[in-house]
Amino acid sequence: EKNITSLNPANTAFLRFLGQHMAIDFSGSIVDFATGFGNFLGYLQVLLPSATIYGIDNFSQIHQTEVDAYQSKTFRFTVTDNYELIMKSDVLCIGFVPIHYAFEFIRKFKPRLILCETVYTLNDDTFQLKSLGYDIIHSDACITVFERKNQNA
């Protein structure tokens, strides 16, 4: 039996936003940056069952063997610290960490949407994302969502 725990407010808001703005048959890729144990991955899978979902974490606050053991009993996702294994990212969800931690990833993969916690979105980060071709399409007290303007870039 899966031991599904509650999510933090930002992950709940991410799910609400994706549920309102993505088709149920969305088959693109979603990357959860700073995954931790990976509860959010399971909820994403239920919401968007055709999506390819990745979890990445640097394991600075939790050991990978603990995450692997938890995932083997719950959602069965592989959480990795090697984002080179990820081929594509249409949507990037960044929780628990400042968005600038993901700039290298953003430059490489150019996700169409970036969802992040508003509290971790600094003005400098917003200006840098704008220079990379992103605009804010949603912002509230909990989450900020950026969309890449030129989808072909």
Side-chain angles (χ1 to χ4, degrees):
E1 182 177 308
K2 294 182 195 286
N3 179 18
I4 299 175
T5 61
S6 61
L7 296 173
N8 78 343
N11 282 343
T12 302
F14 292 165
L15 290 170
R16 188 177 307 112
F17 181 88
L18 292 171
Q20 293 170 349
H21 294 89
M22 306 296 275
I24 189 72
D25 62 348
F26 171 76
S27 61
S29 61
I30 302 173
V31 174
D32 180 26
F33 193 91
T35 300
F37 277 109
N39 285 322
F40 181 58
L41 304 174
Y43 287 91
L44 277 173
Q45 186 177 48
V46 170
L47 180 68
L48 299 167
S50 298
T52 302
I53 301 169
Y54 299 99
I56 60 173
D57 201 293
N58 68 4
F59 302 108
S60 65
Q61 297 181 11
I62 190 168
H63 199 276
Q64 186 168 3
T65 56
E66 294 175 88
V67 174
D68 292 345
Y70 178 79
Q71 281 296 325
S72 73
K73 296 175 185 168
T74 56
F75 306 110
R76 304 205 181 282
F77 281 97
T78 298
V79 178
T80 182
D81 62 352
N82 184 0
Y83 68 76
E84 297 297 327
L85 298 175
I86 297 169
M87 305 308 284
K88 178 180 164 192
S89 173
D90 297 305
V91 178
L92 176 62
C93 299
I94 307 169
F96 305 112
V97 296
I99 192 169
H100 63 264
Y101 286 10
F103 278 159
E104 181 180 338
F105 184 94
I106 292 166
R107 283 186 193 95
K108 177 177 174 124
F109 292 101
K110 299 180 178 87
R112 182 173 68 91
L113 291 176
I114 301 169
L115 290 75
C116 59
E117 289 186 67
T118 300
V119 70
Y120 290 121
T121 307
L122 306 173
N123 285 337
D124 290 347
D125 298 335
T126 300
F127 292 131
Q128 188 156 355
L129 285 173
K130 284 192 162 293
S131 75
L132 294 173
Y134 288 90
D135 282 331
I136 295 174
I137 61 167
H138 172 88
S139 187
D140 60 32
C142 192
I143 68 169
T144 300
V145 180
F146 296 86
E147 182 175 44
R148 197 175 73 243
K149 288 182 282 193
N150 183 353
Q151 300 303 314
N152 298 321

